[in-house]
Structure formats: C-alpha cells, structure tokens
C-alpha cells in the first residue's frame, strides 16, 4: 500500500514539473514576441526621426565671360596686280554680372575692344580702342510689373594714344582724354523676355574728362579752351572737366532673328538742359553676330556718334595750322571673323 502511494505521489510531481516548464515556455515566448514588437517600433521611430530633407540652393547670380579674337591677313608673292602685305587683329571681351531676386535687378557689364593694323611700308596703326563700364540698379513695386525705378551709371574711354595719321607726333586723344561718365535716375521698362529695354532719365549728370592739359588748352571734346593773349601766351589754362545736366533716353534690343543669327541694337540720346537744350547727342551701335559653331563667329556692325560739343579741327587754308570747325557725324563700320571663348 505504501509503495503504491509513493508511486502516485512521484507521478503527480512529474506532471506538475512538466506543466511548470510549459507555462514558463509560453510566458517566455509571449515576452520575446512583445519585446520584438517594442524593439521594431523603436527602430522605426528612430529611422523616421533621422530622415533629412535636402533643400536646393538658389543662385541669384548670372554671369557672362566672353573673349574673342578676330584676325585678317593678306600676303603677296610676285603678285603682278600689286598690293601690300597687311595683318589686322581685333581683341574683344565682354564680362557681365546680373543679380535678380524678387523685386531687385542689378546688371553690370564691362566691354573691352582693342585692334590694330600692320601694313608693309607703314607704321602700326590703331583701328579700335574702347573701355566701357555699365551698371544698372532697378527696383519694382511688385513681381508682375515690367517697370523699374532705376539708377544707371555709364563710363567709357580708351587705352592708348590716338593720332590723326600720318602725324604720329601729336596725339589727338589719350586715356581719359576724352572720358565720359553718365549718372542718372529714372525709370526703365524691361520686357519679360529681356529682349527689349527702354530707359528714361530726366535727371542725368554727364561729365566729360580731358585730363591732358595740352588737349584741354585746345578745347578738345567740348571743354573750355585756354584763354590766350594776342601773342598766343596762355593766361588761363583750359578746363579738364566739363559737367552737364540733362535728359537721357536709351534702349537696347537683343534677339535671335534666325538660327545662329543674333541682332544687337543699342541707342542713347542725350540733351543738355543748360546749354542749347534740343541739340541731341547720339550714340547708336548695332551688330549682327553670325554663329558658325561654339568657338567660331562672324560679326557685322556699325557705330554712329554725334556730339554737338565736339568740334573738329582741320587745315582749311593749307598753311599747316588747324582751324576749329563745327561738329560732324562720326561713323565706324566693322566686319570680322574670329574665335570666341566663353567661360
């Protein structure tokens, strides 16, 4: 009897032990699954929080860097029709910076041109010489308006001496002789595509610089000439700077008329309020650029100027002395083919 009771007791203990083990296993399984869900949630949360959004950087500046060289050469060897060997070169550069942001527009350019011609049996002669700087600052009231309150600055001069060939002893122009500066405020209309702009300034200061005293004494480029006595002795030196206050109208038009044919027109009209108002100074330049490929271009252009204050001197009676005449139309024509590099 006691043996049977002992076996029954051991059987009950074994059953309870297995039940405890199963319960522990079930609890452990449930705990592991719950821990996995919590861990996955934590991982997902961390992944979501650390996601970064990269913002695109907006560049409000636009730049133009263009350098070109036009070359022309003619050579003769036993050519029975005759002729002189010659070589011509023209270096031109155009640099521009434009800043546009919301209601502001600031555009600045610098133009450089220098050319020469070398011909057999003749001295080297200058054919082109220009340094021009423009800066225009505009502000408009809203983002849909094409009219800007504008302030404009223009400066131009030359680099080296200019002569009335074949006389190369007495230069007729130099750096800052003449030099011109325009500074004014007004309003500008700018087409949305920027092919056409028109600027009107009722308040414009024009300054003419002749910083060479000899040329200033001769009254070149409209400055007051020196005061002399009857024997020609200078009593008072000529002025080097002349200031004018007047009205300025200018416009630009740039458009690709056909494939690789670009038309560029610039016009500036100025009249002085204080000195003969109604006499208009004209500066008109237009060019047609023919693009052969990325680095080869041809150019056809002309430049017309008229300034009522610029009096031309010439020997009218053949005595070797230059007499002061009246103003004349200045005209220049250009045809060239060369290399252009943009960067």
């Amino acid at each position: 009897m006691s043996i049977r009771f002992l076996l029954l007791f051991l059987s009950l203990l074994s059953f309870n032990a297995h039940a405890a083990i199963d319960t522990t296993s079930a609890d452990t399984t449930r705990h592991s699954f719950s821990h996995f869900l919590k861990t996955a949630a934590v991982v997902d949360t961390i992944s979501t929080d650390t996601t970064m959004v990269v913002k695109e950087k907006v560049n409000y500046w636009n730049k133009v860097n263009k350098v070109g060289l036009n070359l022309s050469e003619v050579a003769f060897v036993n050519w029975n029709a005759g002729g002189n060997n010659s070589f011509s070169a023209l270096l031109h550069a155009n640099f521009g910076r434009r800043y546009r942001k919301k209601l502001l527009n600031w555009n600045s350019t610098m133009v450089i041109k220098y050319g020469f011609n070398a011909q057999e049996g003749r001295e080297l002669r200058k054919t082109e010489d220009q340094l021009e700087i423009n800066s225009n600052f505009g502000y408009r009231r809203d983002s849909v308006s094409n009219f800007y309150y504008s302030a404009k600055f223009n400066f131009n001069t030359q680099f080296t001496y200019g002569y009335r060939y074949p006389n190369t002893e007495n230069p007729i122009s130099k750096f800052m002789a003449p030099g011109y500066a325009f500074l004014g405020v007004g309003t500008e209309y700018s087409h949305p595509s920027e092919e056409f702009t028109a600027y009107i300034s009722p308040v414009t200061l024009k300054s003419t610089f002749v910083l060479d005293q000899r040329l200033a004494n001769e009254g070149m480029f409209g400055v007051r000439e020196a005061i002399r006595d009857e024997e020609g002795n200078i009593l008072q030196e000529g002025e080097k700077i002349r200031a004018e206050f007047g009205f300025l109208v200018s416009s630009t038009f740039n458009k690709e008329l056909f494939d690789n044919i670009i038309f560029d027109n610039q016009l500036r009209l100025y009249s002085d309020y204080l000195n003969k108002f109604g006499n208009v100074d004209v500066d008109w330049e237009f060019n047609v650029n023919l693009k052969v490929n990325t680095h080869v271009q041809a150019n056809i252009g002309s430049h017309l100027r008229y300034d009522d204050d610029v009096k031309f001197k010439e020997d009218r009676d053949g005595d070797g002395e230059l007499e002061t005449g009246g103003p004349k139309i200045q005209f220049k024509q250009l045809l060239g083919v060369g290399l252009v590099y943009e960067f």
Side-chain angles (χ1 to χ4, degrees):
M1 182 69 181
S2 59
I3 295 174
R4 290 179 179 180
F5 178 78
L6 179 60
L7 291 175
L8 179 62
F9 177 74
L10 291 176
S11 298
L12 291 174
L13 288 178
S14 176
F15 176 78
N16 289 336
H18 283 291
I21 291 173
D22 291 341
T23 302
T24 303
S25 176
D27 291 341
T28 302
T29 302
R30 286 194 299 269
H31 176 73
S32 299
F33 182 73
S34 175
H35 179 70
F36 170 78
L37 291 178
K38 292 180 180 180
T39 304
V42 171
V43 171
D44 289 342
T45 303
I46 295 175
S47 176
T48 303
D49 293 341
T50 56
T51 301
M52 297 179 63
V53 178
V54 179
K55 295 184 179 180
E56 183 179 357
K57 185 178 180 180
V58 180
N59 186 10
Y60 299 104
W61 287 95
N62 183 30
K63 68 178 182 178
V64 174
N65 298 310
K66 184 184 296 185
V67 179
L69 178 64
N70 295 350
L71 300 174
S72 175
E73 186 263 347
V74 178
F76 300 93
V77 178
N78 299 324
W79 193 255
N80 59 9
N84 290 334
N85 299 334
S86 66
F87 176 80
S88 298
L90 171 63
L91 174 67
H92 55 93
N94 187 355
F95 304 99
R97 297 292 183 273
R98 165 167 284 180
Y99 177 83
R100 301 192 68 183
K101 182 179 180 181
K102 296 181 180 178
L103 307 180
L104 299 180
N105 182 22
W106 181 25
N107 186 24
S108 298
T109 62
M110 181 171 68
V111 178
I112 298 174
K113 295 180 181 179
Y114 194 85
F116 64 87
N117 172 265
Q119 187 170 323
E120 185 180 10
R122 196 180 70 178
E123 74 280 352
L124 187 70
R125 295 189 176 184
K126 181 175 66 173
T127 59
E128 182 72 79
D129 192 357
Q130 180 184 7
L131 169 63
E132 182 173 0
I133 299 173
N134 293 281
S135 186
N136 184 19
F137 180 83
Y139 173 81
R140 56 182 177 175
R141 291 181 299 178
D142 54 68
S143 59
V144 297
S145 175
N146 295 325
F147 288 89
Y148 290 82
Y149 301 107
S150 181
K152 179 172 288 192
F153 171 77
N154 169 267
F155 169 79
N156 64 82
T157 185
Q158 62 190 54
F159 290 101
T160 60
Y161 289 1
Y163 298 97
R164 185 178 286 109
Y165 296 106
N167 181 3
T168 57
E169 294 183 0
N170 298 316
I172 61 173
S173 61
K174 298 180 178 180
F175 176 74
M176 289 300 292
Y180 300 98
F182 292 85
L183 179 62
V185 293
T187 183
E188 181 179 57
Y189 170 81
S190 179
H191 192 272
S193 63
E194 299 179 6
E195 295 175 348
F196 173 78
T197 63
Y199 172 75
I200 298 177
S201 172
V203 182
T204 300
L205 175 66
K206 176 186 176 183
S207 300
T208 303
F209 303 91
V210 183
L211 302 187
D212 179 85
Q213 192 61 62
R214 181 183 64 83
L215 296 176
N217 289 340
E218 295 178 6
M220 298 293 288
F221 311 108
V223 299
R224 180 185 55 79
E225 63 182 351
I227 299 176
R228 305 173 186 267
D229 59 18
E230 296 179 354
E231 298 179 354
N233 298 316
I234 297 178
L235 301 178
Q236 182 179 347
E237 298 280 5
E239 65 179 3
K240 292 185 177 181
I241 301 176
R242 178 182 179 178
E244 300 176 68
F245 179 70
F247 188 92
L248 175 66
V249 177
S250 65
S251 70
T252 62
F253 178 70
N254 185 289
K255 183 176 179 60
E256 186 173 4
L257 301 178
F258 305 99
D259 289 342
N260 298 326
I261 300 179
I262 303 172
F263 177 77
D264 181 26
N265 183 82
Q266 301 180 41
L267 176 65
R268 181 165 58 232
L269 306 174
Y270 178 82
S271 185
D272 183 16
Y273 288 129
L274 306 178
N275 182 28
K276 299 179 181 179
F277 181 70
N279 288 348
V280 180
D281 298 339
V282 181
D283 192 335
W284 178 26
E285 182 176 5
F286 76 89
N287 295 277
V288 178
N289 298 314
L290 311 174
K291 187 175 181 180
V292 180
N293 55 41
T294 305
H295 299 297
V296 179
Q297 294 185 14
N299 173 263
I300 304 172
S302 67
H303 196 169
L304 184 147
R305 285 180 177 176
Y306 178 82
D307 190 336
D308 185 68
D309 298 319
V310 178
K311 314 298 182 182
F312 282 81
K313 294 188 175 185
E314 55 185 348
D315 186 4
R316 296 179 177 178
D317 50 17
D319 61 355
E321 297 293 332
L322 297 178
E323 289 79 32
T324 302
K328 294 183 179 181
I329 293 177
Q330 307 170 54
F331 183 77
K332 178 176 61 178
Q333 186 270 334
L334 174 67
L335 171 62
V337 179
L339 304 176
V340 176
Y341 176 68
E342 298 185 25
F343 57 95

